[in-house]
Amino acid sequence: MTDIKFSIEGEDAIQATEELLAIEGITGNYAVNSEDVKKEPVLTTVGTIVGLVGGTIAITEQIRKWYQEYKQKQSGKKIAKVLIVGRNGRRLLLENATFEQIRQILES
């Protein structure tokens, strides 16, 4: 089974990534793109979700909730974009992604 990959860009990419991986039922790891640190104040993290424990529907809802919180900037945190690459190579930007699209990526 191939892992699910993701990329998060933005000033608060590291914190956002840590919070994504802290969601109950998700296990994974990440690295910071070291070139971004030298060039620009905007960071990119690239990570892997190696395990989903529990129902895909519940995890999908948690991911949507996490993303919406960041994009609405209620928490003062900033991310530019989030890309998820499913096990089958299908890519999905979370911007305007529906619940069903996220679920399909997690299940593919």
Side-chain angles (χ1 to χ4, degrees), residues 12-51:
D12 292 318
I14 294 172
Q15 184 176 357
T17 301
E18 290 173 350
E19 290 183 21
L20 173 65
L21 294 175
I23 292 173
E24 187 175 339
I26 295 178
T27 56
N29 52 57
Y30 75 97
V32 176
N33 186 340
S34 58
E35 289 182 20
D36 287 351
V37 174
K38 296 173 190 171
K39 292 181 191 174
E40 303 175 27
V42 176
L43 298 174
T44 301
T45 59
V46 178
T48 304
I49 296 173
V50 296

Side-chain angles (χ1 to χ4, degrees), residues 83-97:
L83 173 72
I84 298 178
V85 181
R87 293 179 180 103
N88 64 359
R90 185 170 160 219
R91 303 162 76 89
L92 176 68
L93 281 172
L94 289 188
E95 184 79 30
N96 300 319

Side-chain angles (χ1 to χ4, degrees), residues 3 7 29 38 52 55 62 68 85 92 94 102:
D3 301 325
S7 172
N29 52 57
K38 296 173 190 171
L52 297 173
Q62 290 288 356
Q68 289 171 347
V85 181
L92 176 68
L94 289 188
I102 297 169

Side-chain angles (χ1 to χ4, degrees), residues 6 47 50 53:
F6 67 89
V50 296
V53 178

Side-chain angles (χ1 to χ4, degrees), residues 16 19-20 23 60-79 82 94-100 102:
E19 290 183 21
L20 173 65
I23 292 173
T60 299
E61 187 55 45
Q62 290 288 356
I63 290 172
R64 279 192 56 192
K65 180 179 175 185
W66 163 85
Y67 182 73
Q68 289 171 347
E69 177 184 313
Y70 271 89
K71 288 310 285 186
Q72 292 172 357
K73 300 178 185 169
Q74 292 176 341
S75 58
K77 303 165 190 161
K78 297 176 187 153
I79 57 175
V82 178
L94 289 188
E95 184 79 30
N96 300 319
T98 65
F99 177 90
E100 186 64 23
I102 297 169

